[in-house]
Amino acid sequence: MLAKELISDVVPALKTSDTGLDAINWMEVFRVSHLPIVNNKSFLGLISDVDIYDLNKADEPLGNHPLSYDKPYVFAYQHIYDVIELASRLQLTVVPVLDGNKEYLGLITQSQLLQKFADLIAAHTPGGIVELELQLRDYSLSEIARIVEDADAKILSLYVSQMDEGDRYSIAIKLNRTDLESVLTAFDRYGYSVKTTYVGNDSYDETVKRNYDSLMKYLSM
């Protein structure tokens, strides 16, 4: 998914002749804290509501307002991951999009970005989530996929995040089914550590539950 596919056709850009009050009004309408300033197709920068409040001259043209951002933007051909990285790093509510000639094409809003990313990771598709904990050297996508598919399930999305320990990683796997027992059994068989599972709106530490069940079986022998 590329930046050009995420551009809003609703939120307008500002001109240097617009006032700070104009900018604040548009920000309130679209529930954003930033808007780009564009003259013709030339992207001049991004102004925030803080910039306007700090100057305390909302009736002055935006051309008189200093900008706290040094022209943050992405190109139309960049991936949604690049858009997320920029928005997250600078805490932006909109991300300007430029073409190869650095001419302004439009912007991506934070809400659009969140919605599209949810589609990307299959967040709206029913299914359970399994989180594995392992060292990166033990991570093999092909083996994880084989284990899941041998258990008659499919991976809808997967992401890897580094844990605080530094050499250990958490692997979150979204599956196409909510009955996870056969998948969990398969991971156990191959020596994978299941950190937690999530099914629908209920979350619990599956490892603790399964260890408890094993203990009860042992005590009943």
Side-chain angles (χ1 to χ4, degrees):
M1 190 174 295
L2 304 182
K4 63 183 179 182
E5 302 173 55
L6 306 173
I7 294 176
S8 170
D9 55 1
V10 177
V11 183
L14 301 166
K15 302 184 294 294
T16 53
S17 57
D18 290 328
T19 66
L21 186 58
D22 294 328
I24 291 296
N25 288 337
W26 282 119
M27 288 177 188
E28 290 179 353
V29 168
F30 293 104
R31 298 183 179 181
V32 296
S33 300
H34 309 83
L35 280 174
I37 302 176
V38 178
N39 279 348
N40 295 321
K41 293 184 178 181
S42 178
F43 172 58
L44 303 180
L46 202 64
I47 193 165
S48 70
D49 52 2
V50 175
D51 294 332
I52 298 168
Y53 293 136
D54 283 351
L55 189 62
N56 199 27
K57 295 180 180 179
D59 56 340
E60 286 200 5
L62 295 178
N64 296 342
H65 288 254
L67 305 180
S68 56
Y69 296 94
D70 186 22
K71 293 189 178 180
Y73 63 85
V74 295
F75 287 110
Y77 56 78
Q78 288 186 260
H79 195 267
I80 186 174
Y81 286 170
D82 295 323
V83 184
I84 292 171
E85 189 281 327
L86 181 64
S88 174
R89 175 163 48 86
L90 299 181
Q91 299 185 343
L92 302 178
T93 54
V94 303
V95 176
V97 182
L98 310 185
D99 66 14
N101 297 318
K102 291 193 174 182
E103 292 187 343
Y104 179 78
L105 296 177
L107 59 80
I108 301 168
T109 66
Q110 187 180 67
S111 58
Q112 284 176 302
L113 196 56
L114 182 60
Q115 181 179 4
K116 292 298 182 182
F117 187 70
D119 293 340
L120 195 64
I121 64 173
H124 303 303
T125 305
I129 298 171
V130 176
E131 284 194 20
L132 305 177
E133 183 178 326
L134 44 78
Q135 292 186 328
L136 188 60
R137 67 171 180 267
D138 298 325
Y139 169 57
S140 170
L141 178 57
S142 59
E143 181 174 70
I144 290 174
R146 177 181 59 78
I147 292 171
V148 168
E149 291 176 4
D150 285 350
D152 198 27
K154 298 290 184 184
I155 295 176
L156 299 179
S157 67
L158 179 149
Y159 63 89
V160 182
S161 56
Q162 188 172 13
M163 302 180 68
D164 292 338
E165 291 83 350
D167 61 342
R168 297 191 65 79
Y169 288 76
S170 176
I171 316 293
I173 309 166
K174 174 69 178 286
L175 303 175
N176 68 333
R177 54 186 292 179
T178 55
D179 179 6
L180 303 178
E181 189 57 36
S182 62
V183 177
L184 298 176
T185 300
F187 277 130
D188 267 352
R189 186 165 62 249
Y190 285 93
Y192 281 86
S193 173
V194 177
K195 182 182 176 183
T196 55
T197 65
Y198 303 86
V199 180
N201 293 324
D202 298 323
S203 65
Y204 57 95
D205 188 330
E206 183 65 22
T207 303
V208 173
K209 178 180 181 298
R210 293 170 70 226
N211 287 345
Y212 174 82
D213 291 341
S214 296
L215 176 61
M216 291 298 101
K217 289 180 182 178
Y218 174 79
L219 292 177
S220 64
M221 287 181 176

